[in-house]
Amino acid sequence: EEQLVQSGAEVKMSGESLRISCKGSGYSFSNYWIGWVRQMSGKGLEWVGIIYPGDSETRYSPSFQGQVTISADKSTSTAYLQWSSLKASDTAMYYCARLFPRATGYMDVWGKGTTVTVSS
Amino acid sequence: EIVLTQSPGTLSLSPGERATLSCRASQSVTSSYLAWYQQKPGQAPRLLIYGASSRATGIPDRFSGSGSGTDFTLTISRLEPEDFAVYYCQQYGSSPRTFGQGTKLEIK
């Protein structure tokens, strides 16, 4: 079964760093793009960016460029989303999803999400 | 950036009725790269439709998608109790990928 398993909920203070993860299984992780999506409480879905684990090519939404870093380790089939200095406005649910069949692909397999809470 | 506008914001219908959800793009969507997702409270989104009109694996045939260019529609032919949720459209042909703001389908 193809699945993405995300790391657990995080509670952090403003200014701290954080890395959350998304581990794929049941398919060739290196060969499909992974995307990250933000959902603030009670709000809609926002595109953060995508990464190709095979060569770590990364593309960001202009709204998130410079605010987060997306990375991947193909040896462990894991993608990451990280912040160097969290803000209260980063509080949200973050989903990872597989893009099928390429970068211009729809999101067919989703993780359950990681809740990030940042206190000021 | 392509802006997707969904209407209505909230749709109140009864089980058994037909639901029609609209997604309008600010510019033409490349190659009909338009998807629809369903999200229930406390759950991740689920892919329903891709390529504007192709049903994803395991999606019942009461769900159908249509449209091209800038106007797209998701139709649920006969609402089941489990269909009441929030629905999002997304274009994935242009960068940045963008989502509509969502349509909440609620029980009347």
Side-chain angles (χ1 to χ4, degrees):
Chain A
E1 178 194 6
E2 300 157 328
Q3 62 177 344
L4 295 170
V5 178
Q6 296 189 233
S7 50
E10 300 277 0
V11 179
K12 292 287 191 179
M13 297 296 292
S14 184
E16 290 187 316
S17 62
L18 174 65
R19 188 176 77 168
I20 62 175
S21 66
C22 169
K23 183 174 176 62
S25 62
Y27 73 98
S28 180
F29 184 80
S30 295
N31 292 342
Y32 293 92
W33 291 76
I34 291 288
W36 288 94
V37 174
R38 182 176 80 174
Q39 187 170 40
M40 301 176 83
S41 181
K43 303 298 184 182
L45 305 172
E46 300 175 270
W47 184 269
V48 176
I50 59 175
I51 188 165
Y52 186 71
D55 62 6
S56 290
E57 180 182 347
T58 309
R59 304 175 189 175
Y60 295 93
S61 166
S63 300
F64 291 89
Q65 180 83 48
Q67 308 305 308
V68 297
T69 301
I70 296 172
S71 60
D73 181 347
K74 62 182 180 182
S75 70
T76 60
S77 299
T78 304
Y80 301 97
L81 179 64
Q82 69 183 67
W83 296 260
S84 59
S85 181
L86 286 160
K87 311 182 198 58
S89 59
D90 294 318
T91 295
M93 175 73 82
Y94 292 86
Y95 295 102
C96 65
R98 184 180 75 170
L99 275 66
F100 189 88
R102 63 186 77 83
T104 50
Y106 46 88
M107 305 179 102
D108 69 334
V109 179
W110 290 72
K112 293 187 184 304
T114 295
T115 299
V116 174
T117 304
V118 183
S119 300
S120 52
Chain B
E1 171 175 322
I2 296 179
V3 176
L4 298 178
T5 302
Q6 293 186 237
S7 62
T10 301
L11 185 58
S12 300
L13 293 170
S14 301
E17 291 193 292
R18 180 185 186 90
T20 302
L21 286 67
S22 174
C23 176
R24 178 161 291 177
S26 60
Q27 52 189 283
S28 187
V29 175
T30 304
S31 303
S32 293
Y33 284 165
L34 193 287
W36 290 91
Y37 302 89
Q38 176 194 66
Q39 187 178 34
K40 297 180 179 178
Q43 296 185 16
R46 176 175 72 145
L47 176 69
L48 297 175
I49 300 287
Y50 63 92
S53 60
S54 297
R55 269 189 304 278
T57 302
I59 301 303
D61 61 7
R62 64 180 181 273
F63 290 90
S64 63
S66 62
S68 63
T70 61
D71 289 294
F72 299 87
T73 301
L74 174 69
T75 302
I76 311 172
S77 58
R78 292 173 310 280
L79 285 166
E80 298 287 343
E82 62 267 27
D83 298 336
F84 292 91
V86 179
Y87 292 84
Y88 295 95
C89 58
Q90 182 217 7
Q91 66 81 21
Y92 52 93
S94 302
S95 290
R97 318 294 189 254
T98 47
F99 292 93
Q101 83 279 19
T103 290
K104 182 179 180 180
L105 179 56
E106 64 176 23
I107 299 177
K108 187 173 182 179

